[in-house]
Amino acid sequence: MGLLLIAAIGMLIWGLAGFFEYFTGIVPLIGLQNAAYPSGVQFVHWLLITISGVVFITGYIARWKWTPIAMILVYSNLAVLCTIQTFDFMSEQWGYSQYFTEIVMYVIHSLFLLLSPVSKSHFGFNLAGN
């Protein structure tokens, strides 16, 4: 659970830094924008990354029962966006192995949040509705 929290903090920082660069044109430590993506796709990219961090961090701290379901919704949207970015706007920095890895990680994180005793205990979420 701690690794997911660290990842969510990283996603939040990355998303906010991406938005900062997107809106100001000022490059933070490294360039985060991908010139291969249209502006609207880039905006949705930063929005979903930021949302993923906010939802998990907030849900984790509040022990919000619906965090696992909310994260699966966010992960599914990120997976769709990743598919669009990979197959419609493939650039030299992004490939099929990275795409496959990202999709597998979303599935693993989702299964962990839904099925692990640690997650069930922390969030009080149970698929059976009990």
Side-chain angles (χ1 to χ4, degrees):
M1 191 70 82
L3 291 176
L4 284 179
L5 182 60
I6 290 168
I9 292 167
M11 293 289 274
L12 178 59
I13 292 169
W14 182 34
L16 293 174
F19 265 137
F20 176 78
E21 182 182 349
Y22 178 84
F23 286 117
T24 67
I26 300 169
V27 176
L29 298 173
I30 60 170
L32 299 173
Q33 306 305 309
N34 187 331
Y37 303 159
S39 180
V41 171
Q42 195 72 59
F43 177 83
V44 172
H45 175 85
W46 298 123
L47 180 64
L48 288 174
I49 289 170
T50 303
I51 287 171
S52 73
V54 168
V55 168
F56 189 80
I57 293 166
T58 304
Y60 181 85
I61 292 169
R63 292 180 174 255
W64 182 42
K65 176 181 181 174
W66 298 106
T67 301
I69 298 298
M71 288 307 300
I72 289 169
L73 292 173
V74 173
Y75 290 150
S76 66
N77 280 279
L78 282 165
V80 168
L81 181 64
C82 180
T83 302
I84 291 167
Q85 291 170 333
T86 300
F87 294 99
D88 287 347
F89 306 109
M90 179 76 78
S91 66
E92 66 275 353
Q93 67 195 50
W94 191 249
Y96 296 111
S97 62
Q98 292 89 350
Y99 167 77
F100 180 74
T101 301
E102 188 169 337
I103 299 302
V104 167
M105 292 308 296
Y106 292 144
V107 171
I108 290 169
H109 292 172
S110 296
L111 290 172
F112 175 81
L113 288 170
L114 284 177
L115 303 174
S116 79
V118 173
S119 177
K120 288 179 182 180
S121 171
H122 183 84
F123 295 113
F125 179 80
N126 189 340
L127 282 174
N130 297 330

